[in-house]
Amino acid sequence: MHEHRSRRLRHARIGKLALALGTCLCAGTLLAGPAAAAPATTTAAAPITTAVAQQAAAPVHPIVRIGATKTIRWGATTKLSTWITDPSTGKPVNGGNLQFQAWRNGAWRTWMTRWVRNGVATYYAKPFVNSSFRLVYTGIAGKYKATASATARVYVLPSGAKILSEARKHTGAPYRFGASGPRVFDCSGYTSYVYRVAAGKKLPHKANLQQRYGKAVAKSKAKPGDLIVIRSGTYGTHVGVYAGGGYMYDSPRAGKTVGKHKIWSRNYVVRRLI
């Protein structure tokens, strides 16, 4: 009886010990859960760090500046400079191409390309008409994005040479009464077109009225680009653009074309419009 009781006590102690050990194992397992999950937390942090690094290294738009708008005389060469800096450091950008573009026929056209050194690129242009220019930096992969500058304007002052150049362009255009270009002209339609395009001067489409414009100049002082008005008495009957040496560009009459012709009358006046 005593021995049987002793066995029950021993089994009870062993059961309690096993239960205690089981509880410890379970508790150990629960405690081990967060410890095992810690590497997952550390691993999850890695992409965040990488994303920050990638964001810091993402390409940026550099600052591209072009020289100020300017006015030049017709036929002159102008210098256009640009400066490119890194917005994050303020330092000049090195490397990459810079395209020099002009606005022509409703679109930006690239004229030339330069390699950027120390944040500077320089171009030379000889525009014969008022022009718009810009610069486009093509970028560096992984560092700088493609970026365009603001638009700069170059205004070309009118001159006799500029007017004569425009007059010469239309050589061969046929005469048609009442026409004012750009492919066919009568005499006053031709001169009004040339002066408007080359110098921004608006003349009436009538020879007699055109002699009232500009400044009177002696025949001996006439310069290429001046307006020639041939008269009948004091009434203006025909007009042309003085070409020098007693010649003018004009649209003579039906059956003829625009060209350089001898001033055929001595009764004419000279008017200087620029």
Side-chain angles (χ1 to χ4, degrees), residues 118 166 232 244 274:
N118 296 320
E166 183 62 33
S232 175
I274 58 169

Side-chain angles (χ1 to χ4, degrees), residues 56-271:
V60 298
H61 286 286
I63 300 171
V64 182
R65 294 178 296 142
I66 191 173
T69 293
K70 58 179 67 178
T71 301
I72 63 172
R73 59 183 176 82
W74 188 87
T77 299
T78 184
K79 178 182 177 181
L80 293 169
S81 296
T82 186
W83 300 268
I84 309 175
T85 53
D86 187 316
S88 59
T89 64
K91 293 182 178 180
V93 168
N94 273 300
N97 288 316
L98 195 66
Q99 296 175 344
F100 176 65
Q101 298 185 342
W103 183 260
R104 291 288 183 271
N105 300 320
W108 287 106
R109 315 282 180 179
T110 298
W111 280 16
M112 61 189 83
T113 301
R114 291 282 186 272
W115 181 257
V116 177
R117 290 183 177 84
N118 296 320
V120 177
T122 302
Y123 302 84
Y124 294 90
K126 190 176 181 179
F128 292 98
V129 296
N130 296 339
S131 301
S132 295
F133 299 102
R134 75 172 185 178
L135 297 160
V136 176
Y137 181 64
T138 58
I140 297 177
K143 191 172 184 180
Y144 296 118
K145 295 180 180 179
T147 307
S149 73
T151 300
R153 290 279 290 166
V154 175
Y155 295 98
V156 181
L157 292 174
S159 68
K162 183 179 181 182
I163 292 168
L164 197 59
S165 175
E166 183 62 33
R168 191 182 298 116
K169 283 181 184 178
H170 304 284
T171 298
Y175 178 96
R176 189 174 73 198
F177 180 78
S180 56
R183 294 180 178 82
V184 292
F185 306 89
D186 65 8
C187 70
S188 59
Y190 171 68
T191 51
S192 63
Y193 180 90
V194 168
Y195 283 100
R196 177 173 56 82
V197 172
K201 301 291 184 179
K202 293 183 178 180
L203 298 176
H205 191 168
K206 190 172 181 64
N208 185 55
L209 295 178
Q210 288 189 8
Q211 70 174 323
R212 301 177 186 177
Y213 286 73
K215 176 184 177 182
V217 176
K219 293 177 183 178
S220 60
K221 302 293 184 181
K223 294 181 179 179
D226 286 341
L227 176 69
I228 301 296
V229 184
I230 294 176
R231 307 196 296 179
S232 175
T234 59
Y235 189 87
T237 59
H238 186 69
V239 284
V241 178
Y242 188 57
Y247 285 81
M248 66 178 176
Y249 280 94
D250 68 336
S251 183
R253 62 184 184 275
K256 299 293 183 179
T257 61
V258 170
K260 185 177 179 181
H261 305 110
K262 189 74 175 178
I263 299 175
W264 43 268
S265 173
R266 292 184 179 181
N267 184 12
Y268 67 90
V269 294
V270 181
R271 308 296 297 186

